[in-house]
Each structure stands twice: as structure tokens, then as C-alpha cells.
Amino acid sequence: MKFRGLAGARGLFELLLGLSLWAAAVALVAPRPPAPLPVPSARPAPARAPQQVPLVASYTLVAKLDESQHRIAGSGTIAFTNRSSAALPSLYFHLYLNGFKNERSLFLRSPFARGRSGQGPREHGYIEVKRLAAQELGGMDLWPGRVPHSPSDAADETDIEVPLPVPLEPGASLTLDVAFDAQLPSLIERTGHAGSFHFAGQWFPKLAKLEPDGEFAHFPFHAQAEFYADFGRYDVTLDVPAGFSVGASGQKVSEVSRGPRRELRYVAEPVHDFAWTAWDGFAERRERIAGVDVTLLSPKGYEEIARQTLSTLAFGLPELERRFGAYPYRTLTVVHPPQEAEQAGGMEYPTLITTGGPWFLPYTGTRALEAVTLHELAHQWFYGLVATNEARHPFLDEGLSSYGELRALGVRFGDASLANVSGLELSAEALFRAGAALRAGEESLALPARKFSSFRSLGLLVYLRTATALETLARCFGRAKLDAALGAFAEKQRFAHPGPEALVAELRSELGEPAARAFERVAFERGRVNFSVRELDAARDPSATGPTTYVNRVVVHRTGDVELPVEIRMSFRNGAVFRERWDGTGPTWTYESRGPAPLVRAVVDPEQRVLLDDNLLDNSASLAPRSLTRIEERLAYIAALTLGGIAP
Amino acid sequence: MTRFVAIFRRFPRTTAVLLAAALRSASGWVVAFPLVAALSALGVGSLPSGDRALFAPSGLLLVETLRVGELPLRAAAQTSLLSWVLCALAQALPTALVFAAFALPPTDPGAPFRRALALTPRFIALGALDCGLCALTFVLGILLWPAATSASGDAQFGLAALVIGWALLLSAAISMFVDLARLASIEPDKTLRQAVDEAALGFRRRGLRLAARYVLTSGAGALCVAAAARGTELCRVDAAGELRVLVVFALHQAVLIALTGIQAVWVRALSNTDAGGRYWPLPGTAAEH
């Protein structure tokens, strides 16, 4: 067993040569880096000054983190102005953390409605408001007068009405002194703790969104729903252990060390939420991208993750600005949580997003890291700036962000926008389309989040089907027109909390009535569509007297209620190819002709513009089906390899 | 036929390699057949570009075929899996052929074939032992993987490499050991138990030396497969032209032949001592332990 003399040297040589061969083999099949970044179209660097937005609810808070108890002691003031047209008899507060208070909360009581993870917290969390005193009312504490549970749900404490002793007239303001304790749960739904990792999302008593008519858009925290709030100024001082790195919404304006602790003050304006994270395992990287100061917090050792995330942001930020208008803030913080805190990943807050994935993700050949980064970045527009009601119309934020992700991935990686594994290129469109078809026609895209039958259904419809519908419009009616419509929607509705009608109006304006109608059918009426070639015939014409003449016939069907224009391509045995357009109205389209060659193949939508099509395999018919030699050869080879293996 | 026999008599070892590769390739076609039949039934042949569409960049129709054909493809995959198991058992024959052709002195040209047929049952048993132990290693690796990949900081790469490396080393050691047992079992008067015992002795005596050769031969095999994968990618079978399919087919068959040839080289390495070319197991080793 010992190397000796010549034999030992030979063995060592063989070993080194063998290792070199293995290295060469791995290098040959390793995922190749993406093509160089395309340069987004030139556009002047946008001003990063905060825009003048009427502020409704502003928060000045101090939050002290007890890292051993995972508890936040909070205090400060909430400045609220009634900008509606009606006097307000009550205020409504969202206490989202109470969704994790016990198993009776609306969030946790159904084992089938525990949201994205499908799991409950190992440790419960809650928020306890100790004081809510109105300065304008002589310091009167309003909290004891609250309704202690959510409206019409005695077991839930996430949607709390606080009656006012006198109605708050339009234009009037209240300054509320608030004190609260927020006990973070073990990580669930993007908030909580895992070891010393803390992510504080929805951690403070948050005023419900006041609508222009004086109604509060309040709702109990449902596992499938997200959030909705007014714009305001957030001035938050975080008191954390000195060894912890901190990431937060907004811009850090000061930092003071006090012995074993640090105080960091962040200001964000105009935004409608504030989230932060603190952990002693972060590595911090800073980069200036498109004029924005980007801070990336990722676990130590996640070098490749950090490199790819920053590369994606360097591409994504200008790309999304080009599509949806300038990102108006000076800072962006990106948090990549560690694996034990993966539930904190994939979430958006104003000027702060979280990504996620294990450290080896960049080596898998998939674009999962880029996809989540671009998706959450797109949320800075569709949620952050446009600020739609995520609980009422989740498709307006998740659907449009998914479309932004889809397009950005397509521009960045082309046909391999989902994965490129050993030469197998998969696009995000292929995955989105397939997912969208799984729930076609089952539920409307525009349902409130809690009305979806499951989170899986919400995911397939709200995320994937919305994006697929928009991509279909782009392919059928013109990509430039769709880009113009979405750009106009994003810019005009900035800070405006629009509803779906504003989006449809832009689609109608830019793409025309048929496109808007098609989108409405899909979004609001469970619309679906399937094109298929039902009949394909070619027969000799017995009545022809001269040269042989063929009678050719094609019947194309459209089922479903979404009308979209398509092309039909017919191929003849003599090589001739004939194309026809059909506007997609009516249930069938028929073609008949006489000619010297028989028809051999007919294809409806040959360029696969209608990604909403329920079944792409029935879009063609052939009188001379091709053999499957390619797939047969490949499968046989793979099977033979697995039978014998690579090793001797 | 006469001509084949003549070639076989002149080049019995080459013929054995080609025959073993052909058997392996044929097995692949048998395993693939149910899936291909299911794809045909799904209408893939009627797609505008036939099955080229399944290889097209973006994978739109590939994913669609998997979605629409989920149930028939799942049923076909089960049939293919059964075929795979049966063919995997049948691989004992080409493996025995390579061992018999390259471990036995080249005397009577027909001897390796006769011996291979006789050895097949033993090789099936040893193949099952190989698969079972490697599967166990794989399962252990899967169980350890979450712990390795959840490590934070700079330890993560080391831990993951440790798990992967450990699993690969163990699998390689198992394969080497089983090949030594295959070699020992060639002698007709040995029981399977005696063959395993001799393999254990040989592994202890020559394991390190053989390991270097194992890394070399397996590296050559990996390079062949990887180069073919790259070559196949360059051939772009999603484009029109049956010649592309022919080229890829030839490339893949060449890989299967090369892998069988590499297996033969490995068997020669097993059956020879470092330089002397003596037949192994050495006379008397059975009595030594």
C-alpha cells in the first residue's frame, strides 16, 4: 500500500492525470456565464430627490432589539392627516404580527391556508400596543377604547378599530404617541428570527390605508394576502447590539455607538412601509448602481451569490427604470438571508428587498437567483411606487412584477432565461406559460388574495397567468405598445394607489379595444382560449379534367372566450407555404382551395404568440407526421449511459 | 457470418468490446422505446418541426409536452423504469464479456464468450451488490447534504466538498472492490464468497495503486461523455437536417464504445500487477488469508 520508486511515481502521475481529466470534463459541461450585458437604452440619470407626495401617515419610531428574547421595544409618534373627503369616526390599525399570536388567528387557524410556506411558526409572535395617546386630544390614550378583535372575527387581533372621541374632520391631523412591544416569531412569512438573524417586517402598529371617500381599506391578516398603506415619512432609530449589521428601508442618516450597542437612524420618504434586519453574520457590500447607493447584505462566504446579485442589479435597475420610470430613492438595500432563515427571502419593502437561495445556487445553471432579484426589484415599482392594494388586487403588484421579471430575464438571458444546464436551454416564458395553463379558467386573476382557493392557485394565476397574459398581448398586438402601456401606467399612477381600471385604460389606449377586451376576459372573467387544427384534408378532385388537382381543406377551432388574432400556416407537398390571418373571432376558421399539390401540414399560431393557449400540442396537424429520431436517439443514449455509468 | 467469425477469431478482444458496447446501446433503445411511443401518441410527430421542437431553445414545446402528456409519460416512464431494471441486470453479460476477454489470457477465441455466459449469474449478484452499496452511499450523502449546505461562513464550501468527495470516494471504492470480486470470480472453481474474500485481500494490498488507475480511467470516461455533450450541443439537433442526427448518433455510439474500451483497460489494470503482467489473483492468495 505504499508508493515505491517507479511504481509510486507512475501511480502519482496517473492520479494527477486522472484528476486533470475530471477537471476538464467538469469544465466542458459547467454552466457558462451569461452573454455580456446588453446596454439599456440611454436615458438621463434620473433625479433622486424625494418627490412631493401628500403624506398621510408618518412614523417617527425608536426600536430597541432584545436579541436574546427576539423582542422589539418600540415607541414614538404617528402623524396622521385625514386627506379624505369625509370625517373619520375611527382609526383602523393593522397589527400584522398578531397573525402569529396563536393558532386561532385568521392566519394560522387553517392548516391549508398558511400561506407560502404551508408551515406555522415554531414560536409564536405578537404585538402588544401599550399606549396610543392623541396629542391633539390632551394626551388621551385611545387604545383602551379599541375594539379588541378584528371586525366580525372575535378570534383574530390583526385588524383593530380605534374609535375617536370626536370625528376627525377632512384636512385635520392627529399626532399619536405610541408605545408597543413586538415579539418576533420564529421566521414565518418573511418576518421573525432564526438564531441571531432577525428580520422585522410589519413590526409596528400600522394605520390602514385611508381611501379618498373616507373609508379605511382595512382587513384581517390572511395567509394569502399582503399589505396596503398610505405614503408617509418614516424616521426610525434602531437600537441594536454593536456586533450586528443592519439593513433597513430608507437612508441611514446617523450612527452612534453606545458601549455594547449601536443606534442607527434611517429616514425613508415618501414610502408606505418600513422593514429592517439585524444579524451578526452578514457580510456587507456597497456599490453605486445607476446613481443609487446599493447595499447588499449576504451571509459571510456567499461570495458568488453576492457577485451575481450585484451583477443582476447592475443590469436590472436601469432596465426596469427604462420600462417603468425612474427609481426615485437614493438607496436600495438588498438582503440575502442565510439558509436557516430562508423564509425571510423573496420579499419586497420600499427601498429594501430580500432575495434568497442556498450558497450553491449560482453553480446550478438555473437563473433562480436572478429571477428572485429581478422580481423583488420590479416590486419597487409595482407595490412600492404604484402602491396598489395587495390584499384586494394582488395581480396588480405580483402579476406586473412577474411580467417585469419575465421581460428582464428575457433581455438578459434570451432563450435560457430560466436555466441553461448542459446545453438544455429553458426560458421563463415556457415555465410561466405551463404554470398559467394549469389553472386556466378556474379562478379570476383579479380576485382578492384571500378568495383564491389556495396559495398554489394564487401563485399560478396571479404571478404566472398575469405575466403570461401580458406577454401574449405583447406578442399579438406589439411589444412596443405594451411597453408603452405599462410604462404609462407606472409613471402616471406613481404614488396614486390605482385600481385595475387604470391598467386596463392604458392597455385600451395603447393596444386597442381587442387587446383590452382580451385582458379583461382573462383577468376578470376567468377567460381562456385554445386554438386547434381540427380537420386537415387533401383529396384528389374527381371532377378535375386536366392535370391532377387536389382539394385541400383546413378547419381551425377556437374554444374559450378570449379572442386573439392568429396566423395559420399551411404547407403543401410541393414545398409551397401559404399563410393566412384570422382575427380570432368566432368559433371556427375554414380554408378550402384547389391546387396542384396536396396539403401536408397546417399550423395555427406557428410562432407561438398566444402563450395563453391552453394546449400548444394541438395547434398543428399533419398528413405525414415526422419520425421521432432525435428524441429517440437522445433517450436511448442517456439510458445506455445510466446503464453502464461513466466509471469503468 | 463466416466473415464475422473470421474477424472475431482474429480480433477477439476488439470484437468483445464492440459487442459489449452494442449490447449496451441496444439496451438503451429498449429502455427509451415506451417513452418514444408515448411522445408519438401525444402528437409530437405532427408538430411543425417534429421532435426538433423538443430541442429548440427556450424549451417551450418541451415543457408543454411534459405538461400535456404528464399522465401518459408517467405511465411510459414506469414501463421504461422496469425495462431499465431488466436491462441493468442484463448488463452483467457485456460486463462479463469484457472481464472474460481481458482478464483471461488470449487463447481460444471462443473462451471469453463461453466464460461470460457462465459468469453472468455471478455478475448479476455482484452488480446488485455494487448498486446496493452505492445507493446506500448516495442516501447517506443526501441525508448529510442539508447539514453541509446550511453551514454559514467560509465552512460551507469545505463541508459540501467533504460530503460530495466522501460519497464519490466511497462509491469509487465500492466499485473497485466489486470489480476485484468480479475478477476473482472468473476462476471457475471459486465460490462467490471466496471471490469476495479475495477481493477484500486484493483491495487491502493494492487499493491505493488501483485507485490512481481508477481515477485515470474514470476521468477518461467522464471526459468522453462531457466532450460528447459539448459536441452534441454544437451539432444543434433543433435545426433542420437529418445529417445532424446521424452525426450525433455516431458521436454517442463512439462514446459508448470508448467507455467499454476504457472498461477493458481498467480490467487489464486489475488483472495485471504493476509491471510484470502476471495474472491476478496471484496463485495462492486464497490460501493466504
Side-chain angles (χ1 to χ4, degrees):
Chain A
M1 295 285 282
K2 290 178 184 173
F3 286 114
R4 285 199 191 94
L6 187 61
R10 186 174 155 188
L12 190 61
F13 172 73
E14 286 179 356
L15 183 67
L16 292 175
L17 184 59
L19 290 173
S20 305
L21 293 176
W22 270 105
V26 170
L28 270 175
V29 294
R32 283 177 292 286
L37 296 180
V39 180
S41 66
R43 182 184 173 121
R48 304 290 176 202
Q51 293 182 237
Q52 294 301 311
V53 179
L55 304 181
V56 177
S58 293
Y59 299 76
T60 303
L61 300 173
V62 175
K64 182 172 184 179
L65 174 68
D66 179 340
E67 74 281 10
S68 61
Q69 298 299 312
H70 315 298
R71 189 173 295 159
I72 300 165
S75 61
T77 58
I78 303 172
F80 173 71
T81 302
N82 178 6
R83 296 194 187 277
S84 77
S85 58
L88 305 176
S90 302
L91 302 177
Y92 282 86
F93 282 86
H94 286 302
L95 304 182
Y96 290 115
L97 272 188
N98 283 344
F100 317 118
K101 186 172 185 177
N102 52 49
E103 299 299 312
R104 300 185 303 281
S105 73
L106 174 64
F107 194 105
L108 291 180
R109 67 185 173 227
S110 168
F112 304 111
R114 288 186 167 182
R116 292 155 174 80
S117 65
Q119 296 171 353
R122 290 189 314 279
E123 298 168 29
H124 288 113
Y126 59 85
I127 179 168
E128 182 184 356
V129 178
K130 295 175 170 173
R131 183 165 181 261
L132 186 74
Q135 292 179 8
E136 288 81 356
L137 299 174
M140 179 184 179
D141 190 354
L142 304 175
W143 197 247
R146 73 189 185 280
V147 179
H149 54 77
S150 301
S152 68
D153 190 339
D156 188 84
E157 300 172 46
T158 58
D159 180 11
I160 300 299
E161 179 185 2
V162 179
L164 295 171
V166 288
L168 187 67
E169 294 299 321
S173 296
L174 268 184
T175 308
L176 304 163
D177 292 329
V178 64
F180 62 93
D181 278 340
Q183 175 64 52
L184 294 176
S186 55
L187 256 166
I188 175 172
E189 294 296 316
R190 292 76 169 268
T191 196
H193 68 88
S196 60
F197 176 89
H198 295 81
F199 198 97
Q202 313 303 337
W203 54 282
F204 57 94
K206 191 172 170 189
L207 272 163
K209 166 80 177 72
L210 177 63
E211 297 292 22
D213 62 359
E215 293 293 322
F216 277 96
H218 63 94
F219 43 82
F221 190 17
H222 189 274
Q224 291 174 187
E226 290 184 311
F227 316 107
Y228 188 37
D230 273 307
F231 282 95
R233 180 177 196 270
Y234 286 74
D235 183 335
V236 181
T237 301
L238 302 172
D239 182 341
V240 299
F244 279 44
S245 297
V246 173
S249 296
Q251 197 171 356
K252 186 167 73 177
V253 295
S254 69
E255 181 174 344
V256 180
S257 291
R258 296 188 195 285
R261 299 189 68 84
R262 277 195 308 158
E263 284 183 10
L264 304 96
R265 183 173 161 230
Y266 289 84
V267 175
E269 178 186 7
V271 296
H272 49 75
D273 202 357
F274 187 98
W276 57 282
T277 183
W279 188 39
D280 54 1
F282 278 131
E284 190 171 326
R285 294 167 182 80
R286 293 175 187 278
E287 204 163 289
R288 192 166 177 81
I289 296 172
V292 177
D293 291 324
V294 175
T295 302
L296 172 64
L297 297 173
S298 56
K300 289 168 185 164
Y302 279 41
E303 306 300 334
E304 188 57 21
I305 287 269
R307 193 193 65 75
Q308 282 203 7
T309 303
L310 288 170
S311 165
T312 304
L313 292 168
F315 161 77
L317 197 50
E319 169 67 15
L320 294 175
E321 283 195 320
R322 186 176 65 83
R323 291 179 175 278
F324 307 129
Y327 176 81
Y329 307 107
R330 295 176 192 280
T331 61
L332 174 70
T333 300
V334 182
V335 179
H336 190 108
Q339 258 319 83
E340 61 269 28
E342 61 180 337
Q343 282 214 43
M347 186 54 185
E348 69 281 3
Y349 301 94
T351 77
L352 184 149
I353 59 175
T354 68
T355 60
W359 61 268
F360 54 86
L361 196 57
Y363 308 103
T364 59
T366 68
R367 314 292 187 211
L369 180 63
E370 291 89 342
V372 68
T373 305
L374 290 169
H375 180 93
E376 305 310 332
L377 186 61
H379 270 304
Q380 290 304 308
W381 284 265
F382 300 114
Y383 152 79
L385 292 168
V386 176
T388 51
N389 185 337
E390 293 186 294
R392 176 73 188 84
H393 292 301
F395 86 103
L396 284 179
D397 64 293
E398 294 298 352
L400 291 179
S401 294
S402 295
Y403 180 71
E405 166 199 347
L406 185 75
R407 286 314 311 149
L409 282 172
V411 171
R412 178 95 159 94
F413 299 111
D415 285 327
S417 56
L418 179 71
N420 184 356
V421 181
S422 296
L424 176 66
E425 293 185 346
L426 293 176
S427 69
E429 284 95 337
L431 178 77
F432 277 44
R433 197 220 95 69
L438 288 175
R439 290 286 190 278
E442 292 185 7
E443 296 179 85
S444 159
L445 305 188
L447 285 178
R450 63 178 297 175
K451 295 288 186 187
F452 282 93
S453 56
S454 66
F455 184 74
R456 179 173 162 74
S457 189
L458 182 152
L460 293 172
L461 290 167
V462 163
Y463 288 67
L464 305 188
R465 196 161 175 80
T466 306
T468 302
L470 291 171
E471 177 63 14
T472 296
L473 295 187
R475 292 178 179 213
C476 291
F477 297 96
R479 189 170 299 287
K481 290 179 180 176
L482 182 75
D483 287 350
L486 295 183
F489 174 69
E491 297 226 37
K492 288 183 197 169
Q493 301 300 328
R494 183 172 283 211
F495 306 114
H497 309 285
E501 65 286 348
L503 174 63
V504 174
E506 293 299 345
L507 294 176
R508 183 167 282 113
S509 166
E510 295 288 344
L511 289 97
E513 180 60 30
R517 188 71 196 117
F519 186 76
E520 284 178 324
R521 293 251 168 155
V522 176
F524 304 108
E525 301 166 29
R526 299 187 296 145
R528 62 192 301 173
V529 63
N530 186 47
F531 289 103
S532 58
V533 178
R534 284 290 171 82
E535 293 179 32
L536 173 65
D537 299 303
R540 281 174 189 260
D541 184 356
S543 62
T545 52
T548 306
T549 303
Y550 291 87
V551 181
N552 296 308
R553 185 167 186 269
V554 178
V555 178
V556 177
H557 273 234
R558 178 183 61 79
T559 53
D561 42 17
V562 180
E563 296 175 346
L564 291 162
V566 285
E567 181 183 287
I568 295 103
R569 190 175 69 200
M570 289 157 286
S571 306
F572 296 82
R573 183 170 293 163
N574 63 1
V577 175
F578 191 63
R579 293 167 185 267
E580 285 271 340
R581 293 278 298 172
W582 178 30
D583 62 6
T585 57
T588 57
W589 177 90
T590 305
Y591 168 86
E592 267 192 26
S593 72
R594 282 177 165 73
L599 198 57
V600 290
R601 182 169 291 110
V603 190
V604 57
D605 190 25
E607 291 170 2
Q608 286 131 11
R609 293 176 187 272
V610 184
L611 289 186
L612 280 173
D613 196 322
D614 283 352
N615 183 350
L616 295 177
L617 294 189
D618 63 6
N619 282 21
S620 51
S622 176
L623 295 175
R626 299 175 198 273
S627 62
L628 304 184
T629 48
R630 284 170 167 79
I631 192 71
E632 191 164 15
E633 191 280 332
R634 190 64 60 90
L635 287 174
Y637 171 64
I638 292 170
L641 274 188
T642 61
L643 284 168
I646 295 169
Chain B
M1 189 64 186
T2 315
R3 191 171 175 185
F4 173 76
V5 171
I7 293 170
F8 157 62
R9 283 181 181 283
R10 190 168 173 194
F11 306 107
R13 284 180 163 170
T14 307
T15 309
V17 166
L18 292 174
L19 198 54
L23 281 170
R24 190 195 268 198
S25 178
S27 301
W29 290 84
V30 169
V31 172
F33 179 74
L35 284 167
V36 175
L39 288 169
S40 181
L42 283 168
V44 171
S46 292
L47 291 173
S49 56
D51 63 353
R52 274 166 47 203
L54 303 185
F55 295 93
S58 109
L60 190 69
L61 287 172
L62 173 64
V63 175
E64 181 69 348
T65 302
L66 295 174
R67 183 186 72 84
V68 174
E70 182 187 354
L71 292 178
L73 286 173
R74 190 179 289 178
Q78 288 172 352
T79 310
S80 279
L81 183 63
L82 179 65
S83 304
W84 188 90
V85 171
L86 295 175
C87 286
L89 292 174
Q91 291 310 298
L93 180 60
T95 304
L97 185 57
V98 172
F99 269 78
F102 286 84
L104 291 173
T107 51
D108 172 15
F113 296 87
R114 289 191 297 274
R115 192 75 200 107
L117 283 172
L119 282 171
T120 297
R122 283 184 173 198
F123 273 44
I124 287 176
L126 289 169
L129 178 70
D130 192 358
C131 285
L133 290 173
C134 284
L136 194 63
T137 306
F138 184 72
V139 169
L140 285 173
I142 292 283
L143 293 176
L144 287 172
W145 183 250
T149 53
S150 65
S152 294
D154 297 328
Q156 60 206 356
F157 290 97
L159 278 174
L162 200 65
V163 170
I164 294 173
W166 171 83
L168 286 176
L169 280 176
L170 203 56
S171 300
I174 290 166
S175 292
M176 277 172 51
F177 172 78
V178 172
D179 278 346
L180 284 169
R182 285 187 177 115
L183 188 70
S185 71
I186 288 178
E187 288 191 8
D189 55 338
K190 285 204 178 73
T191 65
L192 200 57
R193 174 62 193 270
Q194 285 174 322
V196 169
D197 288 346
E198 283 191 13
L201 182 66
F203 192 80
R204 283 201 299 274
R205 286 187 170 180
R206 304 196 304 157
L208 206 56
R209 176 71 184 84
L210 287 173
R213 182 61 63 91
Y214 187 89
V215 171
L216 178 63
T217 49
S218 64
L223 189 60
C224 282
V225 173
R230 191 82 182 97
T232 303
E233 198 180 333
L234 294 174
C235 278
R236 295 295 305 265
V237 291
D238 60 297
E242 297 308 308
L243 187 60
R244 293 172 190 275
V245 188
L246 206 59
V247 170
V248 169
F249 172 74
L251 189 62
H252 287 162
Q253 297 313 302
V255 169
L256 294 178
I257 293 168
L259 288 176
T260 313
I262 288 166
Q263 186 183 31
V265 171
W266 165 244
V267 172
R268 287 296 297 161
L270 282 178
S271 61
N272 287 296
T273 54
D274 293 341
R278 287 174 294 163
Y279 176 59
W280 193 93
L282 298 170
T285 47
E288 285 179 22
H289 64 88

